Amino acid sequence: MNDVGMNSKTENILPAAPSAWDQLTNPSLAEQQHPQHQQQQVPPLHQHQHHPAQSPQMQASSPTTISAPLLTPTKTTPPDVAHTPSGAAPGAPGANFNEELAPELTQQGWRKFWSKREGRPYFWNKLTGESLWEPPQLNRGPQFDPLTDPLGICSTSPLNGPLPVHNHTGYNNNSHPSPHNQHHTLKRRASEDAAQQQPQPQQQHHSAHLPPGAGSVGGPPPLKKYVLPGPWDLEVPTNVLIYERLPTTFPQPHPEVEALRGSLALRLAKTYEDLCNKRESIAPPKDSFQRWLMERRIIDQGIDPLLPSQCTPEISPQMYREILRDIPIKIVKPKFTGDARKQLSRYCDAAKKIVERRGASEESKKIVKWNADEAYEWLRRTVGASYEDFQDRLTHLQRQCEPHIIATVRVSVEQLCAKLYHLSMQHARNIRERHAQILKEHGIPELSAPLQPPVTRKVWCYPVQFALPSPRMPQIDYSNDRDHMVIKYTNTAVMAAPDTHVVNISHLQKLEQLYRYNCFDDKKFDFFIGRAYCMLKRYATFLGNNANPNQQEPELTQAALPAVVFECLHHHFNVTFECFASPLNCYFRQYCSAFGDTDSFFGSRGSFLDFKPVSGSFQVNPPYCEELIDASLQHIDRLLTDSVEPLSFIVFLQEWKDPPLKCLSKIEDSPYKRKQVVVMGMEHEYRHGLQHCIPKSEVNFKSIVGTMVVWLQNAAGYARWAPTEARVDALLEAFRPGRERDRDKAIATNTVPVQPSCSATASSPEAGTAGNSSSGAGDLSSTGPSKPSTPATV
């Protein structure tokens, strides 16, 4: 869907008028109706607003709009006053304005008016609401759809004028939205100023095609677009170039399949917990199941986008390592001396039980028992030992006993990891079979042959495309609960109780805006509510237990940088892309995410490890998973090596000391490292991973550990976005706690100065390829990104 503009005024509900057939068969009836409705039916351009014609069933208010302010009535023009420019000089564009329309066109409802804003006449049909710059033709046929394009004049030049926008949240049982106009425009972002001067690349998705005449010279000037307020800036265009790529072979998400996947994943997590309790006599390591899913996705080539089904090796090093780390007990840092003493005693007991009950070798039994008895003896004879003494004794005991304990439980832990993986494979097959059955019921055949590779050419980055179309969505219920939307899906065949998800109104509006920008196969929003449910269900499944706000994993895995930091990154380093984000926590409208199939409708470019940009400036904030961070750093190194065009990655890593990340050595040895700074713990904030459903007052939380910021750039990227001292200081200042709240208050009072860009080329996507036409950038048109080929089935 092309970039859109938002209406600034509400539409008037017109009284019922005679049908077009009645007026065609009875011209006198049309003349009687014309005077009494002329004042109310002044066309939108004359009133300096755009509003679609609505049928009575389409007048439902949007659930995302809590209350609408009263609007000033628009001025009406008496029917006797000609719509001509005042004082038009001879030879002016309006000289021939008084030419009469053909009687046949008049009978069909066409009238001619003068646009003061554009300085030229236009034609408006009072019966259908259609508007045209060119004179209408007789017998045009059904070329006008009031739901998707209420003003014909806009469809002829989408790059030079805004398309009508609907706040698509009035959904019927088929997830069909009703149009509803927004009533306010708030200048929230500095990117809006740049957008008035620089052309924006149109993002391509699914079956996106620009209408004829797009970008033609002589169209209306660009209008101020609607900017959705919130901790994001969805108006920033991309500066990222990629090579055109194949669409995904995953089928499009479906609520029934997603509900089935959620129930099977929950069953798998419960099995993992039982195996740890019964086999190893420990609680499953905290959040290790989610990290297992992340680690498996790095190498998984299977048939399911969430559950591992084709991985080599089958045993996860991450899960194996975390379970062994908690055997015989989980070691935590004690707060008091008494806690340190108890932990040493518990370790001795657990170590002796393992070697006695697990069939350890005689040598292992002897060594472990001897060290445990020595520790008991030390505890009995030592009085007044300090905190450090207990910790040193525990470290010594671990060092002596750990090799023998690992040798005793190694086979058991490997069997646990393998069994979990094989259960995941079986669940993935069941999910795929059910999905294939749904596609067959809707007459959608599966792919019978591999996809042909696309022509190698550079294009602006675009969301993930699908090789298969979407089946029809089932009924999804929704309701307003104060400032939240409750989305509910009921399927007794999959789950016993309705599956409910909550999202606040501002984030639901954000999803709508992202959907407009990135989804072109659903202009009427028929599938919006179903796809939003699938996305929310996927993240609830991934985070476990429907993302309980009391869990730590959502707070950390889905945590995001403050909006003020993103603004600084964009202004000073021209960052326009997030490498690890989701539709719920992204700041820009282009990003990579873990689940490209559910997130692509909202702008996701898929997994970062599969994303291969040629040029651009990126923010990288991976979740804490050592294997994922290691793979990401290797991927960045390959990208910087393979490209001679400007590439810049600003990496944010939290400095967790226990356990320390071994992969950080790759950063120290990287030839592309340009700068490294550390933001101290408790001196900066993050945004909560569940910001879409928790109270606004709880969104920002202080980081208890430091954050390391590293600039990885090739030569061209360093020349363009070098981390100078001034730019780095500006970033550190943006991290200061409370800056985001101060920014919001300043915006509310309209006292925020616009920060200057780091260079004149910072706001222009085309500028990212200036001077690089010899390297392949010449494939791009001057008006926007090259259009990727889309499958014929979409």
Side-chain angles (χ1 to χ4, degrees), residues 12-30:
N12 299 322
I13 305 301
L14 304 180
S19 65
W21 175 254
D22 293 338
Q23 297 193 36
L24 285 175
T25 56
N26 190 356
S28 61
L29 182 60

Side-chain angles (χ1 to χ4, degrees), residues 324-368:
L324 286 181
R325 190 182 299 140
D326 285 2
I327 295 177
I329 64 170
K330 180 177 177 60
I331 302 297
V332 296
K333 186 177 182 180
K335 293 184 178 179
F336 306 104
T337 303
D339 297 334
R341 181 186 181 93
K342 290 179 182 178
Q343 185 165 253
L344 176 60
S345 177
R346 288 176 54 238
Y347 189 94
C348 293
D349 291 339
K352 291 178 65 175
K353 288 179 180 179
I354 285 180
V355 295
E356 290 174 355
R357 298 177 182 179
R358 293 294 191 89
S361 65
E362 293 299 326
E363 182 69 17
S364 296
K365 289 182 180 179
K366 178 181 178 181
I367 295 177
V368 171

Side-chain angles (χ1 to χ4, degrees), residues 705-727:
V705 297
T707 296
M708 180 172 64
V709 187
V710 184
W711 281 260
L712 300 176
Q713 301 168 328
N714 61 7
Y718 179 70
R720 179 169 296 184
W721 305 301
T724 62
E725 183 177 353
R727 293 174 180 175

Side-chain angles (χ1 to χ4, degrees), residues 388-681:
E388 290 75 13
D389 293 336
F390 288 115
Q391 289 295 91
D392 292 342
R393 194 72 189 185
L394 178 61
T395 302
H396 172 75
L397 185 62
Q398 276 186 284
R399 187 165 51 248
Q400 296 297 320
C401 298
E402 192 174 51
H404 303 279
I405 293 176
I406 290 177
T408 303
V409 303
R410 178 178 58 82
V411 176
S412 176
V413 174
E414 289 178 350
Q415 292 175 349
L416 185 155
C417 297
K419 183 174 183 178
L420 191 70
Y421 171 72
H422 291 148
L423 287 174
S424 177
M425 290 178 60
Q426 183 61 43
H427 291 335
R429 283 194 294 266
N430 295 339
I431 294 170
R432 189 56 177 259
E433 290 173 2
R434 179 55 188 149
H435 211 155
Q437 184 180 353
I438 292 176
L439 294 178
K440 185 176 180 181
E441 292 172 357
H442 288 79
I444 301 175
E446 293 196 36
L447 293 176
S448 58
L451 300 174
Q452 297 297 323
V455 178
T456 303
R457 59 171 179 168
K458 294 178 184 177
V459 296
W460 299 113
C461 71
Y462 56 91
V464 173
Q465 297 175 321
F466 290 91
L468 293 174
S470 173
R472 187 171 181 82
M473 293 286 180
Q475 176 174 334
I476 307 292
D477 299 321
Y478 67 92
S479 60
N480 266 348
D481 182 12
R482 295 185 179 179
D483 59 345
H484 288 76
M485 176 73 77
V486 179
I487 301 176
K488 183 185 300 183
Y489 173 62
T490 304
N491 190 324
T492 56
V494 178
M495 63 195 98
D499 187 38
T500 303
H501 299 273
V502 177
V503 58
N504 60 49
I505 296 299
S506 62
H507 278 78
L508 183 62
Q509 291 176 335
K510 175 190 179 183
L511 294 178
E512 292 175 347
Q513 192 81 330
L514 289 171
Y515 198 80
R516 289 188 189 97
Y517 281 139
N518 297 285
C519 186
F520 289 89
D521 68 341
D522 185 25
K523 293 184 178 180
K524 297 184 181 180
F525 277 50
D526 289 332
F527 301 118
F528 171 77
I529 195 70
R531 287 167 172 172
Y533 164 81
C534 290
M535 184 269 297
L536 291 170
K537 179 63 176 176
R538 177 69 60 81
Y539 281 96
T541 301
F542 169 65
L543 298 173
N545 297 327
N546 284 330
N548 186 346
N550 295 325
Q551 288 182 313
Q552 186 182 18
E553 180 62 22
E555 175 182 329
L556 299 178
T557 301
Q558 299 295 306
L561 297 175
V564 180
V565 176
F566 275 112
E567 289 177 357
C568 179
L569 291 174
H570 175 61
H571 286 303
H572 294 283
F573 300 98
N574 200 21
V575 173
T576 66
F577 196 102
E578 299 167 73
C579 296
F580 292 91
S582 75
L584 299 170
N585 66 13
C586 66
Y587 179 84
F588 303 110
R589 70 169 181 245
Q590 48 268 339
Y591 55 91
C592 284
S593 66
F595 311 114
D597 60 326
T598 56
D599 301 348
S600 64
F601 310 105
F602 309 99
S604 173
R605 274 59 171 159
S607 171
F608 173 63
L609 300 180
D610 298 328
F611 188 68
K612 299 178 181 179
V614 179
S615 68
S617 184
F618 302 84
Q619 177 261 0
V620 187
N621 183 24
Y624 187 82
C625 174
E626 183 167 355
E627 286 76 13
L628 179 59
I629 296 174
D630 189 15
S632 300
L633 293 177
Q634 293 183 34
H635 184 58
I636 291 174
D637 187 78
R638 288 192 297 268
L639 294 175
L640 292 172
T641 303
D642 295 342
S643 179
V644 296
E645 298 189 34
L647 265 180
S648 172
F649 296 90
I650 306 179
V651 184
F652 297 81
L653 296 174
Q654 291 186 304
E655 288 192 310
W656 294 98
K657 302 296 184 181
D658 187 21
L661 291 175
K662 299 179 181 178
C663 60
L664 294 183
S665 60
K666 291 184 173 60
I667 293 180
E668 299 297 334
D669 301 334
S670 174
Y672 303 108
K673 176 184 172 183
R674 307 297 181 178
K675 183 75 174 180
Q676 176 178 330
V677 296
V678 175
V679 186
M680 302 302 296

